Amino acid sequence: MSVRVRRVYEPPESEDGVRVLVDRLWPRGLAKDAARVDEWPKDITPSTELRRWYHAGEGSYEEFARRYEAELAEPEAAELVDRVRELAAKGTVTLVTASKNLEQGHAAVLARLLQS
């Protein structure tokens, strides 16, 4: 299983496989055809409340990851996680995000969960 994390603003590469946008909102200033997004499952993105809490600096990355994983365990999100996991079992999946911090963002949490 191969799951990658990249910024959506980077040009698509042939090694990306299935590109999955993991942001709730469409990335600012990016044309849809330029993004080459194959899937956009909005319900596996962090809730608005969690996202605002984390970006306000109110908690640690570890706490954010724990809360996000709890959201991903909810039935609707869990079904979408399973869908992306199935795609990754067939080939490379690249999670794309507008986030600048790929190592401590929601896409990294999701990638770890998909690979576990």
PDB file of all heavy atoms in Angstrom, residues 25-58:
ATOM      1  N   LEU A  25     -12.499  22.772   1.895  1.00  0.00           N
ATOM      2  CA  LEU A  25     -12.744  23.838   0.931  1.00  0.00           C
ATOM      3  C   LEU A  25     -11.797  23.684  -0.253  1.00  0.00           C
ATOM      4  O   LEU A  25     -10.672  23.217  -0.096  1.00  0.00           O
ATOM      5  CB  LEU A  25     -12.520  25.205   1.583  1.00  0.00           C
ATOM      6  CG  LEU A  25     -13.360  25.506   2.824  1.00  0.00           C
ATOM      7  CD1 LEU A  25     -12.931  26.823   3.438  1.00  0.00           C
ATOM      8  CD2 LEU A  25     -14.835  25.514   2.484  1.00  0.00           C
ATOM      9  N   TRP A  26     -12.256  24.112  -1.431  1.00  0.00           N
ATOM     10  CA  TRP A  26     -11.403  24.046  -2.608  1.00  0.00           C
ATOM     11  C   TRP A  26     -10.233  25.010  -2.408  1.00  0.00           C
ATOM     12  O   TRP A  26     -10.422  26.131  -1.937  1.00  0.00           O
ATOM     13  CB  TRP A  26     -12.191  24.414  -3.871  1.00  0.00           C
ATOM     14  CG  TRP A  26     -11.353  24.177  -5.078  1.00  0.00           C
ATOM     15  CD1 TRP A  26     -10.646  25.108  -5.776  1.00  0.00           C
ATOM     16  CD2 TRP A  26     -11.065  22.916  -5.678  1.00  0.00           C
ATOM     17  NE1 TRP A  26      -9.939  24.498  -6.786  1.00  0.00           N
ATOM     18  CE2 TRP A  26     -10.176  23.153  -6.744  1.00  0.00           C
ATOM     19  CE3 TRP A  26     -11.470  21.613  -5.416  1.00  0.00           C
ATOM     20  CZ2 TRP A  26      -9.688  22.140  -7.554  1.00  0.00           C
ATOM     21  CZ3 TRP A  26     -10.987  20.598  -6.220  1.00  0.00           C
ATOM     22  CH2 TRP A  26     -10.110  20.858  -7.276  1.00  0.00           C
ATOM     23  N   PRO A  27      -9.017  24.617  -2.767  1.00  0.00           N
ATOM     24  CA  PRO A  27      -7.840  25.472  -2.582  1.00  0.00           C
ATOM     25  C   PRO A  27      -7.959  26.793  -3.340  1.00  0.00           C
ATOM     26  O   PRO A  27      -8.298  26.805  -4.521  1.00  0.00           O
ATOM     27  CB  PRO A  27      -6.696  24.624  -3.151  1.00  0.00           C
ATOM     28  CG  PRO A  27      -7.198  23.220  -3.113  1.00  0.00           C
ATOM     29  CD  PRO A  27      -8.675  23.308  -3.316  1.00  0.00           C
ATOM     30  N   ARG A  28      -7.651  27.844  -2.655  1.00  0.00           N
ATOM     31  CA  ARG A  28      -7.767  29.195  -3.196  1.00  0.00           C
ATOM     32  C   ARG A  28      -6.855  29.382  -4.407  1.00  0.00           C
ATOM     33  O   ARG A  28      -5.687  29.016  -4.393  1.00  0.00           O
ATOM     34  CB  ARG A  28      -7.385  30.183  -2.112  1.00  0.00           C
ATOM     35  CG  ARG A  28      -7.687  31.610  -2.434  1.00  0.00           C
ATOM     36  CD  ARG A  28      -7.421  32.462  -1.253  1.00  0.00           C
ATOM     37  NE  ARG A  28      -8.366  32.082  -0.200  1.00  0.00           N
ATOM     38  CZ  ARG A  28      -8.822  32.906   0.716  1.00  0.00           C
ATOM     39  NH1 ARG A  28      -8.404  34.144   0.740  1.00  0.00           N
ATOM     40  NH2 ARG A  28      -9.679  32.499   1.621  1.00  0.00           N
ATOM     41  N   GLY A  29      -7.423  29.939  -5.478  1.00  0.00           N
ATOM     42  CA  GLY A  29      -6.646  30.307  -6.646  1.00  0.00           C
ATOM     43  C   GLY A  29      -6.214  29.161  -7.537  1.00  0.00           C
ATOM     44  O   GLY A  29      -5.374  29.346  -8.409  1.00  0.00           O
ATOM     45  N   LEU A  30      -6.772  27.976  -7.342  1.00  0.00           N
ATOM     46  CA  LEU A  30      -6.356  26.814  -8.122  1.00  0.00           C
ATOM     47  C   LEU A  30      -7.507  26.349  -9.012  1.00  0.00           C
ATOM     48  O   LEU A  30      -8.601  26.067  -8.530  1.00  0.00           O
ATOM     49  CB  LEU A  30      -5.944  25.671  -7.184  1.00  0.00           C
ATOM     50  CG  LEU A  30      -5.394  24.421  -7.848  1.00  0.00           C
ATOM     51  CD1 LEU A  30      -4.087  24.717  -8.568  1.00  0.00           C
ATOM     52  CD2 LEU A  30      -5.177  23.329  -6.806  1.00  0.00           C
ATOM     53  N   ALA A  31      -7.244  26.282 -10.303  1.00  0.00           N
ATOM     54  CA  ALA A  31      -8.256  25.799 -11.251  1.00  0.00           C
ATOM     55  C   ALA A  31      -8.439  24.294 -11.060  1.00  0.00           C
ATOM     56  O   ALA A  31      -7.470  23.564 -10.814  1.00  0.00           O
ATOM     57  CB  ALA A  31      -7.822  26.098 -12.674  1.00  0.00           C
ATOM     58  N   LYS A  32      -9.665  23.835 -11.197  1.00  0.00           N
ATOM     59  CA  LYS A  32      -9.949  22.416 -10.982  1.00  0.00           C
ATOM     60  C   LYS A  32      -9.204  21.516 -11.960  1.00  0.00           C
ATOM     61  O   LYS A  32      -8.721  20.458 -11.569  1.00  0.00           O
ATOM     62  CB  LYS A  32     -11.450  22.167 -11.042  1.00  0.00           C
ATOM     63  CG  LYS A  32     -12.140  22.780  -9.850  1.00  0.00           C
ATOM     64  CD  LYS A  32     -13.569  22.371  -9.701  1.00  0.00           C
ATOM     65  CE  LYS A  32     -14.099  23.041  -8.441  1.00  0.00           C
ATOM     66  NZ  LYS A  32     -15.407  22.630  -8.081  1.00  0.00           N
ATOM     67  N   ASP A  33      -9.063  21.923 -13.190  1.00  0.00           N
ATOM     68  CA  ASP A  33      -8.353  21.072 -14.150  1.00  0.00           C
ATOM     69  C   ASP A  33      -6.857  21.016 -13.853  1.00  0.00           C
ATOM     70  O   ASP A  33      -6.201  20.012 -14.101  1.00  0.00           O
ATOM     71  CB  ASP A  33      -8.615  21.508 -15.596  1.00  0.00           C
ATOM     72  CG  ASP A  33      -8.212  22.935 -15.884  1.00  0.00           C
ATOM     73  OD1 ASP A  33      -8.164  23.758 -14.954  1.00  0.00           O
ATOM     74  OD2 ASP A  33      -7.932  23.233 -17.055  1.00  0.00           O
ATOM     75  N   ALA A  34      -6.291  22.068 -13.276  1.00  0.00           N
ATOM     76  CA  ALA A  34      -4.869  22.085 -12.926  1.00  0.00           C
ATOM     77  C   ALA A  34      -4.569  21.195 -11.725  1.00  0.00           C
ATOM     78  O   ALA A  34      -3.476  20.649 -11.605  1.00  0.00           O
ATOM     79  CB  ALA A  34      -4.406  23.510 -12.635  1.00  0.00           C
ATOM     80  N   ALA A  35      -5.540  21.029 -10.849  1.00  0.00           N
ATOM     81  CA  ALA A  35      -5.339  20.230  -9.637  1.00  0.00           C
ATOM     82  C   ALA A  35      -5.341  18.732  -9.923  1.00  0.00           C
ATOM     83  O   ALA A  35      -4.755  17.962  -9.181  1.00  0.00           O
ATOM     84  CB  ALA A  35      -6.425  20.553  -8.617  1.00  0.00           C
ATOM     85  N   ARG A  36      -6.032  18.343 -10.980  1.00  0.00           N
ATOM     86  CA  ARG A  36      -6.167  16.927 -11.338  1.00  0.00           C
ATOM     87  C   ARG A  36      -6.552  16.063 -10.137  1.00  0.00           C
ATOM     88  O   ARG A  36      -5.893  15.095  -9.798  1.00  0.00           O
ATOM     89  CB  ARG A  36      -4.902  16.398 -12.014  1.00  0.00           C
ATOM     90  CG  ARG A  36      -5.250  15.316 -13.043  1.00  0.00           C
ATOM     91  CD  ARG A  36      -4.081  14.494 -13.491  1.00  0.00           C
ATOM     92  NE  ARG A  36      -4.094  13.252 -12.696  1.00  0.00           N
ATOM     93  CZ  ARG A  36      -3.018  12.670 -12.215  1.00  0.00           C
ATOM     94  NH1 ARG A  36      -1.843  13.164 -12.425  1.00  0.00           N
ATOM     95  NH2 ARG A  36      -3.119  11.576 -11.515  1.00  0.00           N
ATOM     96  N   VAL A  37      -7.635  16.448  -9.482  1.00  0.00           N
ATOM     97  CA  VAL A  37      -8.146  15.717  -8.325  1.00  0.00           C
ATOM     98  C   VAL A  37      -9.103  14.641  -8.813  1.00  0.00           C
ATOM     99  O   VAL A  37     -10.015  14.910  -9.594  1.00  0.00           O
ATOM    100  CB  VAL A  37      -8.850  16.687  -7.342  1.00  0.00           C
ATOM    101  CG1 VAL A  37      -9.620  15.939  -6.289  1.00  0.00           C
ATOM    102  CG2 VAL A  37      -7.825  17.618  -6.714  1.00  0.00           C
ATOM    103  N   ASP A  38      -8.879  13.416  -8.350  1.00  0.00           N
ATOM    104  CA  ASP A  38      -9.740  12.291  -8.733  1.00  0.00           C
ATOM    105  C   ASP A  38     -10.885  12.068  -7.747  1.00  0.00           C
ATOM    106  O   ASP A  38     -11.957  11.621  -8.135  1.00  0.00           O
ATOM    107  CB  ASP A  38      -8.900  11.004  -8.838  1.00  0.00           C
ATOM    108  CG  ASP A  38      -7.806  11.131  -9.874  1.00  0.00           C
ATOM    109  OD1 ASP A  38      -8.121  11.440 -11.031  1.00  0.00           O
ATOM    110  OD2 ASP A  38      -6.628  10.938  -9.511  1.00  0.00           O
ATOM    111  N   GLU A  39     -10.627  12.336  -6.485  1.00  0.00           N
ATOM    112  CA  GLU A  39     -11.623  12.137  -5.428  1.00  0.00           C
ATOM    113  C   GLU A  39     -11.573  13.339  -4.490  1.00  0.00           C
ATOM    114  O   GLU A  39     -10.500  13.890  -4.240  1.00  0.00           O
ATOM    115  CB  GLU A  39     -11.313  10.869  -4.609  1.00  0.00           C
ATOM    116  CG  GLU A  39     -11.212   9.597  -5.409  1.00  0.00           C
ATOM    117  CD  GLU A  39     -12.523   8.830  -5.480  1.00  0.00           C
ATOM    118  OE1 GLU A  39     -13.387   9.044  -4.615  1.00  0.00           O
ATOM    119  OE2 GLU A  39     -12.657   8.020  -6.407  1.00  0.00           O
ATOM    120  N   TRP A  40     -12.746  13.690  -3.942  1.00  0.00           N
ATOM    121  CA  TRP A  40     -12.816  14.783  -2.969  1.00  0.00           C
ATOM    122  C   TRP A  40     -13.820  14.411  -1.888  1.00  0.00           C
ATOM    123  O   TRP A  40     -14.919  14.936  -1.841  1.00  0.00           O
ATOM    124  CB  TRP A  40     -13.188  16.079  -3.661  1.00  0.00           C
ATOM    125  CG  TRP A  40     -13.109  17.303  -2.807  1.00  0.00           C
ATOM    126  CD1 TRP A  40     -12.494  17.437  -1.589  1.00  0.00           C
ATOM    127  CD2 TRP A  40     -13.662  18.590  -3.103  1.00  0.00           C
ATOM    128  NE1 TRP A  40     -12.620  18.713  -1.112  1.00  0.00           N
ATOM    129  CE2 TRP A  40     -13.337  19.442  -2.032  1.00  0.00           C
ATOM    130  CE3 TRP A  40     -14.392  19.091  -4.162  1.00  0.00           C
ATOM    131  CZ2 TRP A  40     -13.733  20.784  -1.983  1.00  0.00           C
ATOM    132  CZ3 TRP A  40     -14.781  20.412  -4.125  1.00  0.00           C
ATOM    133  CH2 TRP A  40     -14.463  21.256  -3.055  1.00  0.00           C
ATOM    134  N   PRO A  41     -13.456  13.495  -0.999  1.00  0.00           N
ATOM    135  CA  PRO A  41     -14.370  13.068   0.062  1.00  0.00           C
ATOM    136  C   PRO A  41     -14.340  14.041   1.246  1.00  0.00           C
ATOM    137  O   PRO A  41     -13.580  13.871   2.205  1.00  0.00           O
ATOM    138  CB  PRO A  41     -13.821  11.691   0.445  1.00  0.00           C
ATOM    139  CG  PRO A  41     -12.353  11.796   0.152  1.00  0.00           C
ATOM    140  CD  PRO A  41     -12.230  12.738  -1.019  1.00  0.00           C
ATOM    141  N   LYS A  42     -15.165  15.055   1.191  1.00  0.00           N
ATOM    142  CA  LYS A  42     -15.133  16.134   2.183  1.00  0.00           C
ATOM    143  C   LYS A  42     -15.359  15.636   3.611  1.00  0.00           C
ATOM    144  O   LYS A  42     -14.885  16.256   4.561  1.00  0.00           O
ATOM    145  CB  LYS A  42     -16.174  17.188   1.830  1.00  0.00           C
ATOM    146  CG  LYS A  42     -15.886  17.887   0.532  1.00  0.00           C
ATOM    147  CD  LYS A  42     -16.977  18.873   0.201  1.00  0.00           C
ATOM    148  CE  LYS A  42     -16.796  19.409  -1.198  1.00  0.00           C
ATOM    149  NZ  LYS A  42     -17.914  20.255  -1.595  1.00  0.00           N
ATOM    150  N   ASP A  43     -16.067  14.527   3.769  1.00  0.00           N
ATOM    151  CA  ASP A  43     -16.377  14.061   5.114  1.00  0.00           C
ATOM    152  C   ASP A  43     -15.226  13.347   5.809  1.00  0.00           C
ATOM    153  O   ASP A  43     -15.378  12.889   6.944  1.00  0.00           O
ATOM    154  CB  ASP A  43     -17.623  13.176   5.104  1.00  0.00           C
ATOM    155  CG  ASP A  43     -18.885  13.991   4.869  1.00  0.00           C
ATOM    156  OD1 ASP A  43     -18.902  15.173   5.261  1.00  0.00           O
ATOM    157  OD2 ASP A  43     -19.843  13.453   4.290  1.00  0.00           O
ATOM    158  N   ILE A  44     -14.050  13.245   5.164  1.00  0.00           N
ATOM    159  CA  ILE A  44     -12.883  12.733   5.889  1.00  0.00           C
ATOM    160  C   ILE A  44     -11.931  13.866   6.256  1.00  0.00           C
ATOM    161  O   ILE A  44     -10.832  13.625   6.739  1.00  0.00           O
ATOM    162  CB  ILE A  44     -12.121  11.612   5.133  1.00  0.00           C
ATOM    163  CG1 ILE A  44     -11.518  12.102   3.835  1.00  0.00           C
ATOM    164  CG2 ILE A  44     -12.982  10.404   4.939  1.00  0.00           C
ATOM    165  CD1 ILE A  44     -10.564  11.097   3.203  1.00  0.00           C
ATOM    166  N   THR A  45     -12.374  15.087   6.070  1.00  0.00           N
ATOM    167  CA  THR A  45     -11.556  16.229   6.475  1.00  0.00           C
ATOM    168  C   THR A  45     -11.917  16.577   7.921  1.00  0.00           C
ATOM    169  O   THR A  45     -12.996  16.232   8.399  1.00  0.00           O
ATOM    170  CB  THR A  45     -11.823  17.430   5.557  1.00  0.00           C
ATOM    171  OG1 THR A  45     -13.182  17.832   5.683  1.00  0.00           O
ATOM    172  CG2 THR A  45     -11.516  17.088   4.110  1.00  0.00           C
ATOM    173  N   PRO A  46     -11.027  17.255   8.632  1.00  0.00           N
ATOM    174  CA  PRO A  46     -11.352  17.647  10.007  1.00  0.00           C
ATOM    175  C   PRO A  46     -12.587  18.557  10.032  1.00  0.00           C
ATOM    176  O   PRO A  46     -12.802  19.347   9.115  1.00  0.00           O
ATOM    177  CB  PRO A  46     -10.115  18.420  10.475  1.00  0.00           C
ATOM    178  CG  PRO A  46      -9.024  18.007   9.555  1.00  0.00           C
ATOM    179  CD  PRO A  46      -9.680  17.678   8.249  1.00  0.00           C
ATOM    180  N   SER A  47     -13.349  18.430  11.080  1.00  0.00           N
ATOM    181  CA  SER A  47     -14.520  19.302  11.231  1.00  0.00           C
ATOM    182  C   SER A  47     -14.064  20.755  11.307  1.00  0.00           C
ATOM    183  O   SER A  47     -12.909  21.050  11.666  1.00  0.00           O
ATOM    184  CB  SER A  47     -15.289  18.938  12.502  1.00  0.00           C
ATOM    185  OG  SER A  47     -14.497  19.219  13.646  1.00  0.00           O
ATOM    186  N   THR A  48     -14.959  21.645  10.986  1.00  0.00           N
ATOM    187  CA  THR A  48     -14.649  23.074  11.057  1.00  0.00           C
ATOM    188  C   THR A  48     -14.206  23.450  12.464  1.00  0.00           C
ATOM    189  O   THR A  48     -13.240  24.194  12.643  1.00  0.00           O
ATOM    190  CB  THR A  48     -15.874  23.902  10.630  1.00  0.00           C
ATOM    191  OG1 THR A  48     -16.213  23.538   9.282  1.00  0.00           O
ATOM    192  CG2 THR A  48     -15.606  25.385  10.708  1.00  0.00           C
ATOM    193  N   GLU A  49     -14.890  22.908  13.471  1.00  0.00           N
ATOM    194  CA  GLU A  49     -14.564  23.222  14.860  1.00  0.00           C
ATOM    195  C   GLU A  49     -13.146  22.761  15.205  1.00  0.00           C
ATOM    196  O   GLU A  49     -12.376  23.493  15.822  1.00  0.00           O
ATOM    197  CB  GLU A  49     -15.566  22.574  15.824  1.00  0.00           C
ATOM    198  CG  GLU A  49     -16.976  23.070  15.676  1.00  0.00           C
ATOM    199  CD  GLU A  49     -17.726  22.445  14.481  1.00  0.00           C
ATOM    200  OE1 GLU A  49     -17.318  21.372  13.971  1.00  0.00           O
ATOM    201  OE2 GLU A  49     -18.707  23.062  14.039  1.00  0.00           O
ATOM    202  N   LEU A  50     -12.797  21.542  14.810  1.00  0.00           N
ATOM    203  CA  LEU A  50     -11.474  21.014  15.109  1.00  0.00           C
ATOM    204  C   LEU A  50     -10.392  21.803  14.369  1.00  0.00           C
ATOM    205  O   LEU A  50      -9.357  22.145  14.935  1.00  0.00           O
ATOM    206  CB  LEU A  50     -11.394  19.525  14.752  1.00  0.00           C
ATOM    207  CG  LEU A  50     -10.046  18.857  15.007  1.00  0.00           C
ATOM    208  CD1 LEU A  50      -9.654  18.970  16.486  1.00  0.00           C
ATOM    209  CD2 LEU A  50     -10.099  17.395  14.575  1.00  0.00           C
ATOM    210  N   ARG A  51     -10.658  22.090  13.118  1.00  0.00           N
ATOM    211  CA  ARG A  51      -9.695  22.854  12.327  1.00  0.00           C
ATOM    212  C   ARG A  51      -9.445  24.226  12.946  1.00  0.00           C
ATOM    213  O   ARG A  51      -8.299  24.649  13.112  1.00  0.00           O
ATOM    214  CB  ARG A  51     -10.205  22.988  10.892  1.00  0.00           C
ATOM    215  CG  ARG A  51      -9.245  23.627   9.938  1.00  0.00           C
ATOM    216  CD  ARG A  51      -9.775  23.616   8.510  1.00  0.00           C
ATOM    217  NE  ARG A  51     -11.179  23.972   8.364  1.00  0.00           N
ATOM    218  CZ  ARG A  51     -11.646  25.213   8.370  1.00  0.00           C
ATOM    219  NH1 ARG A  51     -10.824  26.232   8.513  1.00  0.00           N
ATOM    220  NH2 ARG A  51     -12.928  25.456   8.217  1.00  0.00           N
ATOM    221  N   ARG A  52     -10.499  24.908  13.336  1.00  0.00           N
ATOM    222  CA  ARG A  52     -10.351  26.238  13.945  1.00  0.00           C
ATOM    223  C   ARG A  52      -9.622  26.144  15.282  1.00  0.00           C
ATOM    224  O   ARG A  52      -8.794  26.988  15.596  1.00  0.00           O
ATOM    225  CB  ARG A  52     -11.723  26.882  14.133  1.00  0.00           C
ATOM    226  CG  ARG A  52     -12.311  27.365  12.839  1.00  0.00           C
ATOM    227  CD  ARG A  52     -13.643  28.031  13.037  1.00  0.00           C
ATOM    228  NE  ARG A  52     -14.172  28.482  11.758  1.00  0.00           N
ATOM    229  CZ  ARG A  52     -15.434  28.744  11.528  1.00  0.00           C
ATOM    230  NH1 ARG A  52     -16.329  28.607  12.499  1.00  0.00           N
ATOM    231  NH2 ARG A  52     -15.835  29.131  10.350  1.00  0.00           N
ATOM    232  N   TRP A  53      -9.950  25.131  16.070  1.00  0.00           N
ATOM    233  CA  TRP A  53      -9.294  24.927  17.369  1.00  0.00           C
ATOM    234  C   TRP A  53      -7.790  24.759  17.176  1.00  0.00           C
ATOM    235  O   TRP A  53      -6.989  25.393  17.860  1.00  0.00           O
ATOM    236  CB  TRP A  53      -9.897  23.693  18.053  1.00  0.00           C
ATOM    237  CG  TRP A  53      -9.201  23.272  19.306  1.00  0.00           C
ATOM    238  CD1 TRP A  53      -9.382  23.770  20.558  1.00  0.00           C
ATOM    239  CD2 TRP A  53      -8.184  22.263  19.415  1.00  0.00           C
ATOM    240  NE1 TRP A  53      -8.547  23.134  21.434  1.00  0.00           N
ATOM    241  CE2 TRP A  53      -7.805  22.205  20.761  1.00  0.00           C
ATOM    242  CE3 TRP A  53      -7.570  21.406  18.501  1.00  0.00           C
ATOM    243  CZ2 TRP A  53      -6.838  21.318  21.226  1.00  0.00           C
ATOM    244  CZ3 TRP A  53      -6.619  20.527  18.953  1.00  0.00           C
ATOM    245  CH2 TRP A  53      -6.255  20.494  20.310  1.00  0.00           C
ATOM    246  N   TYR A  54      -7.408  23.906  16.229  1.00  0.00           N
ATOM    247  CA  TYR A  54      -5.987  23.633  16.009  1.00  0.00           C
ATOM    248  C   TYR A  54      -5.254  24.858  15.465  1.00  0.00           C
ATOM    249  O   TYR A  54      -4.173  25.204  15.931  1.00  0.00           O
ATOM    250  CB  TYR A  54      -5.828  22.438  15.063  1.00  0.00           C
ATOM    251  CG  TYR A  54      -4.394  22.025  14.835  1.00  0.00           C
ATOM    252  CD1 TYR A  54      -3.549  21.760  15.898  1.00  0.00           C
ATOM    253  CD2 TYR A  54      -3.892  21.899  13.546  1.00  0.00           C
ATOM    254  CE1 TYR A  54      -2.229  21.372  15.686  1.00  0.00           C
ATOM    255  CE2 TYR A  54      -2.578  21.509  13.318  1.00  0.00           C
ATOM    256  CZ  TYR A  54      -1.754  21.247  14.398  1.00  0.00           C
ATOM    257  OH  TYR A  54      -0.454  20.864  14.184  1.00  0.00           O
ATOM    258  N   HIS A  55      -5.837  25.535  14.502  1.00  0.00           N
ATOM    259  CA  HIS A  55      -5.170  26.689  13.892  1.00  0.00           C
ATOM    260  C   HIS A  55      -5.126  27.899  14.819  1.00  0.00           C
ATOM    261  O   HIS A  55      -4.315  28.800  14.614  1.00  0.00           O
ATOM    262  CB  HIS A  55      -5.804  27.045  12.555  1.00  0.00           C
ATOM    263  CG  HIS A  55      -5.547  26.003  11.508  1.00  0.00           C
ATOM    264  ND1 HIS A  55      -4.283  25.704  11.070  1.00  0.00           N
ATOM    265  CD2 HIS A  55      -6.385  25.169  10.847  1.00  0.00           C
ATOM    266  CE1 HIS A  55      -4.342  24.728  10.178  1.00  0.00           C
ATOM    267  NE2 HIS A  55      -5.603  24.386  10.019  1.00  0.00           N
ATOM    268  N   ALA A  56      -5.962  27.899  15.842  1.00  0.00           N
ATOM    269  CA  ALA A  56      -5.914  28.977  16.825  1.00  0.00           C
ATOM    270  C   ALA A  56      -4.777  28.767  17.824  1.00  0.00           C
ATOM    271  O   ALA A  56      -4.512  29.629  18.663  1.00  0.00           O
ATOM    272  CB  ALA A  56      -7.249  29.073  17.566  1.00  0.00           C
ATOM    273  N   GLY A  57      -4.110  27.617  17.743  1.00  0.00           N
ATOM    274  CA  GLY A  57      -2.988  27.341  18.633  1.00  0.00           C
ATOM    275  C   GLY A  57      -3.403  26.937  20.030  1.00  0.00           C
ATOM    276  O   GLY A  57      -2.626  27.054  20.975  1.00  0.00           O
ATOM    277  N   GLU A  58      -4.621  26.427  20.160  1.00  0.00           N
ATOM    278  CA  GLU A  58      -5.135  26.082  21.483  1.00  0.00           C
ATOM    279  C   GLU A  58      -4.690  24.714  21.981  1.00  0.00           C
ATOM    280  O   GLU A  58      -4.889  24.387  23.142  1.00  0.00           O
ATOM    281  CB  GLU A  58      -6.669  26.160  21.478  1.00  0.00           C
ATOM    282  CG  GLU A  58      -7.170  27.552  21.205  1.00  0.00           C
ATOM    283  CD  GLU A  58      -8.686  27.641  21.161  1.00  0.00           C
ATOM    284  OE1 GLU A  58      -9.355  26.719  21.640  1.00  0.00           O
ATOM    285  OE2 GLU A  58      -9.177  28.651  20.646  1.00  0.00           O
TER     286      GLU A  58
END
